[in-house]
Structure formats: structure tokens, C-alpha cells
Amino acid sequence: MTADKYVLVTGGAGYIGSHTVLELINAGYKVVVVDNLCNSSEEAIRRVGELTNSTIPFFPIDLRDQAGLEKVFSAYPIESVIHFAGLKAVGESTKIPLEYYDSNVSGTIVLLKTMAKHKTPIFVFSSSATVYGDATRFENMIPIPEECPTGPTSPYGHTKMIIEEILTDAAAADANLKVGILRYFNPIGAHPSGRIGEDPRGIPNNLLPFVAQVAVGRREKLQVFGNDYKDSPDGTPIRDYIHVVDLAKGHLAALAKLDSVQGENGEGFVRPWNLGTGNGSTVFEVVHAFEKATGKTIPLEVVGRRKGDVVNLTAKPNRANTELQWKAELTVEDSCRDLWKWTTNNPWGYGQPEK
């Protein structure tokens, strides 16, 4: 990374984005953030600035606003982009699929065109394990390697898959473009300071934020979507839960890798990496870990399966371990402890002053 160059972080006010911005600044990177704030808060950026003793350039624009994005690229010498911005709920995507395709796919195309115009060579994409779909349909594909055939089961997953294909085509046509595709499994937890964390608008779509809201009295009980999955020890879905700080550090590892590689045969470079722990936990196991970390009992009820859900999404992270020199270090218990600190300090998220 050249000393006077910047990393543009799209969606940098969001959950994973804000934690990554913090890690980037702590590692000496210069950062500029764009975020349309549709599911995030500018307060997250303000707090990251306090934690890092820095002023972070921030632009509240939508990636589909080509003129607005052009101004950012014209004002800052951007050498790399980490692209988080997008809609991200599996269940919601089945209800408003066109919004997902417009926001996620159209926004990425505008971003890539702007990068090409300004000759920005490095792109790290926030993809998802949902691109694999139900990997249990294959033999010997759990834990899931990058070679697993893709087959998303929701519009959200389809948008991520389409963007991966767009990036592959773009790199094939541009010898200078270097792309890292990071397929996340299930990010959880919060920064250990308790000052930044996940603050979803409305009803949380992810397990642990909902559990935390139940624990502080914002929700009555947890709904568990199905306990009749045959290939699960307790019938509930299995996921690979990764601490958000470990995940954020994975982006820095990807940047460093992309900075050191070159494309071949007149084409750019593109490579997918799974970011996960390699260990799966059921919904009930995570709830019990949260109860142990907090001393709280979480009331719950089991309801029907959620459309688009699959039984097991556990990563095989060996490629990232080897090629990126990155490994998840923190546990589900660490995540529950840090989430509880964030939640008790900020029971209403960024919407009210910290305790």
C-alpha cells in the first residue's frame, strides 16, 4: 500500500465495515468511508474515530449515485476498495428481491466502472457462504471448501453469486484488476471496547443480535426457525460463527495478499477465500453459550423453518489459513462476552447515549 493512497470502504458504517475500518486505521492505512446509512449509523464512524484518535472522511452516498461516487474518487487517491455495502437479509430478500438486485448488483457495477475510470487496481468483496446453498446435497462437502459447487437458495445469495461472476469477468478483461472474494460464514460478537457493535434497524435478522435484544428486554422471546433438521445434533441449523474482529482482520490479510500478486496471461487476478473458523455450532449451542456468558436465561419458541435456510454452513478455511496467513483466533464464548458488553453499554444500539 502506497503511503499517500487510501482504502475506500463501502458500507463502512455498518457492522463488519466499522470493525474493519478500525483495524485498517490501527494498521496504518488511510481510510475513506461511503455508506447510505440505510441499515447503519454515522455514530459508528464517529466512535471508530475516537477509538483510533483519527478523523475519518465520510460520505453518506448510495453507490448507485454515480456522480456522488465520482466526487469521492476525484477527491482522494484511492488504491483499493473493500466493498461491504448492500442489503443482506436472506428472509427479506425473498420478499423484496428486486430491491436486492438493484441495490447489490447495480451498486457494484457503478462502483467497478468508477474504479476502472480512476485505475484503482485492488478490490476486496464482501461475499457470503450463502453462495454455496445447501452443500449437504453433495457428498464430502461439509465443511465447505471453495471448490464446492455454488447454488444459492435465496435472492440475497443470488446477488452475491452474480457479483462474484461479474468480478471474474471484469478481472479477465483487465490485467490490472486484482480481486479477493471473501465468503463469510456467520459474523458475531463486537469490539471488546464495547463501543461499536451490530445495531440492526428494526427486528434483527441474525441470531445473536436478536438473543441480545431478548436479554435486555427489547424482545419478548427468541424464535428458532426449525428444530427438525436431520443432520444436526439437536435438530437446529448449524452455522460457523466467527468473531467480527477476526473477520475484520481477514480483510487486511486479503489486502496484503492482493498487493503482492499479479495476474497472468493478460488477465487480472481473482480468488475466493472462505473466512470462517471451521467449527460449526447449532442454534441451541449458541444460545446456551450466550446464557453462560451473561447469566441470563433466554426464553424461546421453535417455529417453522425459514424459507431459504439450509441445515449446515460450516467453513473449510484452509485456503485462507495458508494463502492469506490468517486464522480465526476467538471463540463463540469470546463473541458472546463481547456482544454482551456492547449490548449492556448500548441497549438501544447507537440510537441513545452510551451507558
Side-chain angles (χ1 to χ4, degrees):
M1 182 76 184
T2 312
D4 62 340
K5 299 290 187 177
Y6 279 77
V7 181
L8 172 66
V9 181
T10 76
Y15 174 42
I16 306 167
S18 59
H19 287 78
T20 303
V21 169
L22 189 152
E23 295 296 332
L24 285 165
I25 294 171
N26 282 342
Y29 287 91
K30 293 180 179 179
V31 178
V32 57
V33 172
V34 300
D35 196 305
N36 70 0
L37 303 177
C38 76
N39 191 37
S40 57
S41 170
E42 191 173 348
E43 175 67 10
I45 293 299
R46 190 191 70 78
R47 293 189 189 181
V48 171
E50 288 184 354
L51 287 166
T52 57
N53 193 29
S54 61
T55 301
I56 303 164
F58 172 72
F59 296 86
I61 62 172
D62 191 292
L63 290 182
R64 292 166 289 186
D65 175 6
Q66 189 159 9
L69 195 59
E70 174 65 33
K71 289 178 182 176
V72 177
F73 273 81
S74 295
Y76 293 88
I78 294 167
E79 187 170 68
S80 54
V81 173
I82 302 179
H83 179 34
F84 295 103
L87 302 176
K88 62 172 190 174
V90 168
E92 181 185 63
S93 77
T94 64
K95 300 184 176 101
I96 53 169
L98 296 182
E99 287 295 315
Y100 271 69
Y101 284 105
D102 187 32
S103 174
N104 296 5
V105 179
S106 300
T108 303
I109 291 171
V110 172
L111 177 59
L112 287 168
K113 283 183 172 181
T114 309
M115 283 179 61
K117 179 180 176 182
H118 289 268
K119 296 181 168 53
T120 300
I122 294 174
F123 191 89
V124 176
F125 176 51
S126 163
S127 192
S128 167
T130 58
V131 300
Y132 295 118
D134 186 359
T136 60
R137 69 193 191 278
F138 304 108
E139 288 188 18
N140 303 317
M141 284 291 180
I142 302 291
I144 303 169
E146 289 86 355
E147 297 82 8
C148 178
T150 53
T153 59
S154 69
Y156 164 70
H158 282 294
T159 67
K160 292 295 188 183
M161 191 69 255
I162 290 167
I163 293 166
E164 288 195 11
E165 291 168 350
I166 289 169
L167 290 169
T168 301
D169 290 341
D174 183 352
N176 295 315
L177 183 60
K178 299 186 287 187
V179 176
I181 294 168
L182 303 184
R183 293 173 177 166
Y184 308 162
F185 283 68
N186 285 63
I188 56 172
H191 191 263
S193 67
R195 301 211 59 215
I196 59 171
E198 188 167 9
D199 181 26
R201 299 279 173 92
I203 299 172
N205 289 295
N206 295 328
L207 174 62
L208 268 175
F210 200 104
V211 168
Q213 289 192 8
V214 172
V216 294
R218 285 179 64 181
R219 307 285 169 192
E220 180 185 357
K221 60 188 173 184
L222 171 69
Q223 288 188 323
V224 176
F225 296 103
N227 67 344
D228 58 348
Y229 288 93
K230 291 180 181 177
D231 294 321
S232 163
D234 57 28
T236 62
I238 300 164
R239 297 291 181 266
D240 188 333
Y241 294 96
I242 176 172
H243 196 297
V244 66
V245 172
D246 277 335
L247 185 59
K249 290 177 178 176
H251 294 76
L252 275 68
L255 275 185
K257 178 68 174 179
L258 294 172
D259 200 36
S260 71
V261 299
Q262 296 295 329
E264 296 178 350
N265 302 318
E267 297 187 359
F269 177 91
V270 60
R271 183 80 162 155
W273 292 289
N274 286 340
L275 295 187
T277 67
N279 299 309
S281 302
T282 69
V283 171
F284 286 157
E285 286 170 347
V286 172
V287 171
H288 295 326
F290 185 87
E291 290 177 330
K292 184 178 178 182
T294 63
K296 298 277 186 178
T297 299
I298 303 300
L300 58 82
E301 74 169 325
V302 177
V303 297
R305 295 185 184 187
R306 187 168 54 181
K307 187 178 179 182
D309 269 350
V310 299
V311 59
N312 193 333
L313 282 173
T314 301
K316 184 177 182 182
N318 302 43
R319 180 187 287 184
N321 298 161
T322 302
E323 296 181 6
L324 302 184
Q325 299 295 298
W326 168 90
K327 192 174 190 296
E329 305 286 349
L330 300 166
T331 65
V332 169
E333 290 72 22
D334 293 327
S335 299
C336 290
R337 180 199 65 228
D338 293 338
L339 171 64
W340 187 233
K341 184 173 182 180
W342 154 252
T343 305
T344 51
N345 288 350
N346 306 270
W348 294 89
Y350 293 114
Q352 292 185 357
E354 297 170 89
K355 288 190 173 181

